[in-house]
Amino acid sequence: MHIFSTINETKNYLKDLKKRGKKIGFVPTMGALHPGHITLLQKAKKENEIAVSSIFVNPLQFNDKKDLDKYPKTLEKDIESLKRANCDVLFTPSVEEMYPTLADLPVSNKIIDLGTLDKIMEGKQRPGHFQGVCVVVKKLFEIVEPDKAYFGEKDFQQLAIIKHMTKSFGIPVEIIPCQTVRETDGLAMSSRNTLLSTEERKNASLIFKTLSAAKERSKTLSVTELQKWVEQEINKSHFLKLEYFDVVNAETLEPIAKWEEAKNIRACIAVKAGAVRLIDNIQM
Ligand code: AMP
């Protein structure tokens, strides 16, 4: 595996491969890799000749500085996992390499009109977050120029926003959604899970259990009734606090009030477990 920390090295190495007609699959990450990330990488490797990953904890997408400071970092271990998964290229730039001018840094930078996509759910809770995600993913796409890029459905809103962003800017990359990889008790794997206390971690399994039960109950309850029920279930645990449970049209992410309003429906949830925010979703 080639490891590059500069844009030039990465571009030069990939340019040569592209000239030889090799297809490139790309998996951007913030590191602290777990089997969810590795599944994306394996899919990229299977569907392309070259698999490229990046590890970059993007300060622009953290609206809470404490969250940025405590974000887990396990670079040596990540490198070993990527090597085992046959990753060909790892790009690990510094903040200075990605954002050489300070003018790039304010989180309020708006590079794209996301309409309602970044006003709801995570967008409401984390102002500026998705603009920061768009800035970094656009830059990474310009550096790697992948044929396909792989994103997890765990971050369902992010996936929709990346699709919208690539379409708006006409970036010639195919966005491939990947199913959420879960722990044995159902909790969606996340780098943030390592920040949970033992009790918080135990209780966090309630999130997916509640989502699965909500899917069943959607056959008999109205959207509003279901939202109330989910709130009660999650908040029964002293270790969890519901931030939102939104039922949305899976294509537009517009919240729906009645089941008949959309064919393809996702229920998206955000829960605070102590100081850690956990998100998940389920197809209804
Ligand atoms: P992150 O490092 O958290 O920014 O995640 C990098 C990529 O991995 C994103 O596309 C995430 O959606 C995806 N990802 C994170 N957790 C999971 C998971 N449990 N299953 C599938 N994909 C995931």
Side-chain angles (χ1 to χ4, degrees):
M1 181 171 79
H2 295 270
I3 304 176
F4 301 124
S5 56
T6 68
I7 295 172
N8 268 344
E9 282 172 303
T10 311
K11 275 190 159 185
N12 283 338
Y13 181 76
L14 294 176
K15 195 167 68 191
D16 229 46
L17 291 168
K18 270 179 220 145
K19 257 196 224 145
R20 289 194 264 139
K22 305 277 186 209
K23 295 285 177 219
I24 294 178
F26 180 41
V27 181
T29 82
M30 297 206 296
L33 301 184
H34 53 64
H37 297 113
I38 298 303
T39 306
L40 268 59
L41 200 278
Q42 284 164 339
K43 200 166 156 70
K45 184 73 188 174
K46 203 166 149 199
E47 297 181 359
N48 305 270
E49 283 133 319
I50 305 293
V52 178
S53 186
S54 62
I55 294 180
F56 179 62
V57 183
N58 174 32
L60 286 197
Q61 70 188 70
F62 286 82
N63 50 319
D64 176 355
K65 172 119 183 13
K66 274 189 267 157
D67 189 24
L68 171 62
D69 291 341
K70 71 178 183 208
Y71 201 82
K73 290 176 190 70
T74 57
L75 187 61
E76 290 309 311
K77 203 169 140 255
D78 293 350
I79 289 173
E80 288 315 309
S81 311
L82 289 171
K83 278 185 185 164
R84 271 200 303 277
N86 294 321
C87 179
D88 298 287
V89 176
L90 168 62
F91 177 48
T92 52
S94 63
V95 173
E96 294 72 28
E97 180 73 9
M98 286 297 275
Y99 305 124
T101 62
L102 277 181
D104 273 348
L105 278 171
V107 172
S108 56
N109 258 4
K110 189 170 168 187
I111 66 155
I112 179 171
D113 186 1
L114 293 167
T116 53
L117 282 179
D118 68 343
K119 313 272 176 317
I120 50 174
M121 300 194 289
E122 289 303 283
K124 223 194 276 172
Q125 307 287 334
R126 307 178 67 190
H129 166 68
F130 286 119
Q131 291 293 332
V133 170
C134 285
V135 171
V136 78
V137 174
K138 184 168 179 283
K139 275 201 175 199
L140 289 168
F141 281 174
E142 283 160 1
I143 296 162
V144 176
E145 294 184 54
D147 296 281
K148 294 181 179 175
Y150 297 78
F151 289 87
E153 285 185 343
K154 185 187 85 83
D155 302 285
F156 198 75
Q157 191 172 5
Q158 169 172 283
L159 177 61
I161 284 175
I162 300 293
K163 280 186 193 160
H164 175 90
M165 191 266 292
T166 48
K167 202 168 159 196
S168 299
F169 287 122
I171 303 172
V173 57
E174 192 183 340
I175 304 299
I176 312 286
C178 304
Q179 268 186 10
T180 302
V181 179
R182 300 181 178 282
E183 303 286 356
T184 44
D185 65 357
L187 177 65
M189 289 189 179
S190 164
S191 309
R192 288 191 165 88
N193 293 351
T194 58
L195 303 173
L196 298 168
S197 70
T198 313
E199 279 306 316
E200 286 160 1
R201 171 63 191 85
K202 248 192 238 162
N203 280 258
S205 66
L206 194 65
I207 300 170
F208 188 62
K209 283 197 185 100
T210 307
L211 280 184
S212 307
K215 187 179 164 107
E216 266 311 295
R217 283 179 185 248
S218 68
K219 293 173 191 156
T220 50
L221 296 182
S222 72
V223 173
T224 319
E225 286 166 344
L226 191 67
Q227 286 175 311
K228 278 197 195 120
W229 180 79
V230 167
E231 185 172 9
Q232 278 168 11
E233 283 303 297
I234 294 291
N235 292 347
K236 265 183 201 166
S237 159
H238 296 308
F239 294 91
L240 307 178
K241 175 110 185 57
L242 184 79
E243 274 199 354
Y244 64 78
F245 171 74
D246 281 3
V247 181
V248 302
N249 178 320
E251 264 104 56
T252 61
L253 301 193
E254 296 283 349
I256 62 163
K258 290 200 173 90
W259 298 115
E260 311 78 75
E261 278 176 41
K263 271 203 187 98
N264 190 359
I265 298 173
R266 278 267 160 176
C268 301
I269 194 167
V271 172
K272 236 7 214 304
V276 184
R277 281 185 88 248
L278 300 171
I279 58 169
D280 202 347
N281 62 81
I282 195 166
Q283 174 151 32
M284 299 300 273

